[in-house]
Amino acid sequence: MTADRTVTEPNAAADTSSIAADIAIVGGGLAGSLAAAVLARAGHRVALIEKRAVHPDEFRVEKIGGHQLELLRKLGFFNALENVACRYDQVLNIREGKVVDVSVGQAYGFSYADLVAMARSQIPDPSSLIVDEVTAISSSDDVQHLELASGRRVTARLVVLATGMATALGYKLGIKRRILAERHSVSFGFTIVRQDGRPFDFAALTCYGERTADGIDYLSLFPVRAGMRANLFMFRDPTDPIMRELRREPEATVLRLLPGLRTYLGDFRVIDKVQNWVMDLTVVEGHVQPGIVLIGDAFQTNCPAAGTGVARLLVDVDRLCTEYAPRWLTTPGMGQDKISQFYSDRDKIAADQQSLKMARFRQALTSRDDIGWDVRRRLHFLRRSLTHRVDQMHPGWIGRVRGALRA
């Protein structure tokens, strides 16, 4: 049964090393911090266990837009997001130096560390964050027991694993990660400014790869507080020498790979360390266990180029924290029958499947050089370009047609 208090508390005054909560969340990145805030604001006792008091500025989620904003608004984080992010409403899309189209819609750029800090700031009681490391979990159909590196123990009815791609705890529980596509994609992140200190002539820009041999899906440029953030997504062997060149000489290498960018960027320089990720597509097995549920990357990884990771994460948080976990806590037990309800949720399954579908599509559209995909690629960009031209000549016409088709 759910208590009214939102803070973690000792089991007894004489045993301060034992902490009791309704829900223990392991991992204080974006998924875990959002989940903790949603559950704590609803009145549940939450223990968010994370080994770092301040999350480092990792190269992960750095922009949000479209349906993702609707989910953030539903979960009650939208206003807080606006305080830490840079808004932009238009993206210039180019290929081979020519305009493909212009995307219009509200979007935000930010640093991942700021986003995590925003999520944690929405937790009603800061003492819900326990800076420690979980070393072992013992699960059952009733109560779960967590051992911490400090020697403390946490008991909770439900444990949420939001540990990202870290697998140690999962392996101890018999949860295995199955690789669907090894070294599926490579992503680079860095921040640029113009040499003359002036702003760029666009709010945001996406430049698509020009040759299949380069394996470049696109370079996305969008505003953050430090300047113009660049996210480069590639489907290429991570051991290729070009990866080293991108880290050592990012300006020259980017322009060599995407020469059509030069007109739009002018003279620019990278002002921070070039970060990169090599991503495997994976999904877990053996995860339906009593008292434990996995969300975000802890359950399934994503292709960063597909842009579906945040949407998946938000769907997980929404369905688990507003629908299933609150209902589970109102009745005794936390067996597999309850846990399996979350993994069988229609919205969750749809988001997971769409993520994998888009990962495969982006790779094929970028790298496949057979006739079928060459034609498909040309038609893809031609359709976008024609639609853009029609909309320029008859503003709003395309939107009205799409609305009529959906009616």
Side-chain angles (χ1 to χ4, degrees):
M1 185 173 289
T2 305
D4 292 331
R5 295 179 297 279
T6 63
V7 297
T8 56
E9 63 180 15
N11 275 339
D15 185 12
T16 56
S17 66
S18 184
I19 300 168
D22 296 321
I23 301 173
I25 300 172
V26 185
L30 183 59
S33 297
L34 288 173
V38 172
L39 290 164
R41 289 188 309 201
H44 305 292
R45 294 181 302 162
V46 174
L48 175 61
I49 308 166
E50 165 60 44
K51 60 184 177 182
R52 296 164 294 198
V54 177
H55 204 282
D57 199 6
E58 299 174 321
F59 175 37
R60 292 182 182 267
V61 183
E62 296 187 334
K63 60 179 178 177
I64 286 180
H67 179 59
Q68 299 161 357
L69 293 177
E70 295 176 18
L71 286 169
L72 274 177
R73 185 177 281 108
K74 177 184 177 183
L75 292 169
F77 295 99
F78 184 77
N79 291 337
L81 170 71
E82 289 192 309
N83 294 330
V84 301
C86 294
R87 175 173 171 170
Y88 58 98
D89 299 293
Q90 194 173 85
V91 182
L92 180 65
N93 302 305
I94 67 171
R95 187 169 185 255
E96 297 178 340
K98 301 176 183 178
V99 176
V100 175
D101 57 14
V102 177
S103 303
V104 178
Q106 193 174 359
Y108 292 86
F110 42 76
S111 75
Y112 183 71
D114 285 346
L115 192 63
V116 173
M118 177 277 292
R120 291 187 186 180
S121 73
Q122 301 303 298
I123 301 173
D125 190 329
S127 67
S128 297
L129 174 62
I130 300 172
V131 181
D132 211 325
E133 184 174 3
V134 178
T135 57
I137 301 174
S138 176
S139 65
S140 72
D141 289 339
D142 187 21
V143 177
Q144 324 316 318
H145 299 271
L146 297 85
E147 297 181 11
L148 308 186
S150 64
R152 292 182 291 179
R153 292 179 174 84
V154 176
T155 60
R157 291 196 57 199
L158 177 67
V159 173
V160 178
L161 290 185
T163 49
M165 288 163 281
T167 58
L169 280 175
Y171 274 115
K172 290 180 180 180
L173 292 165
I175 301 171
K176 303 296 175 62
R177 193 173 284 275
R178 176 164 59 94
I179 296 179
L180 304 176
E182 190 174 15
R183 301 194 299 182
H184 173 77
S185 63
V186 184
S187 307
F188 285 84
F190 48 90
T191 309
I192 66 173
V193 297
R194 286 179 52 136
Q195 290 282 20
D196 59 11
R198 295 171 52 200
F200 290 97
D201 295 330
F202 50 82
L205 181 146
T206 299
C207 180
Y208 293 95
E210 301 180 10
R211 298 170 294 271
T212 56
D214 292 332
I216 296 177
D217 191 349
Y218 61 93
L219 173 74
S220 176
L221 296 167
F222 52 93
V224 295
R225 289 178 173 178
M228 188 68 70
R229 189 65 176 169
N231 286 177
L232 177 64
F233 304 106
M234 307 176 70
F235 299 101
R236 194 158 172 166
D237 186 345
T239 64
D240 191 296
I242 198 70
M243 306 300 167
R244 183 172 61 252
E245 293 174 29
L246 279 166
R247 289 189 293 270
R248 292 180 176 179
E249 299 180 329
E251 299 93 344
T253 308
V254 164
L255 291 178
R256 188 170 76 250
L257 293 170
L258 298 167
L261 261 179
R262 189 179 299 274
T263 302
Y264 297 88
L265 294 187
D267 293 327
F268 72 97
R269 60 188 176 91
V270 174
I271 61 171
D272 57 4
K273 180 181 178 181
V274 177
Q275 302 170 291
N276 74 287
W277 271 104
V278 178
M279 182 64 71
D280 298 331
L281 291 184
T282 65
V283 65
V284 295
E285 296 177 334
H287 53 284
V288 182
Q289 300 191 15
I292 296 174
V293 65
L294 285 69
I295 62 173
D297 285 343
F299 176 77
Q300 177 183 303
T301 57
N302 318 274
C303 171
T308 55
V310 181
R312 274 196 59 252
L313 182 156
L314 291 172
V315 168
D316 278 359
V317 171
D318 177 39
R319 301 308 295 151
L320 177 66
C321 300
T322 67
E323 174 66 23
Y324 294 104
R327 176 151 46 88
W328 294 342
L329 291 171
T330 62
T331 58
M334 199 60 68
Q336 291 186 13
D337 56 332
K338 286 185 175 180
I339 301 301
S340 62
Q341 293 171 8
F342 169 69
Y343 296 121
S344 300
D345 180 80
R346 181 178 60 185
D347 292 343
K348 173 176 172 51
I349 291 174
D352 292 340
Q353 291 178 344
Q354 177 67 7
S355 180
L356 293 176
K357 177 182 177 181
M358 287 302 299
R360 297 181 178 113
F361 172 76
R362 294 305 322 176
Q363 184 181 39
L365 189 68
T366 299
S367 305
R368 289 278 294 272
D369 56 5
D370 54 273
I371 294 176
W373 274 99
D374 183 59
V375 171
R376 190 169 181 176
R377 185 162 41 248
R378 292 176 186 273
L379 289 175
H380 173 81
F381 287 106
L382 177 61
R383 182 174 62 252
R384 289 179 56 175
S385 180
L386 289 175
T387 300
H388 174 61
R389 292 179 185 179
V390 170
D391 203 45
Q392 281 187 312
M393 292 185 290
H394 305 283
W397 183 79
I398 295 295
R400 290 192 294 272
V401 170
R402 288 172 176 167
L405 291 174
R406 285 194 296 265

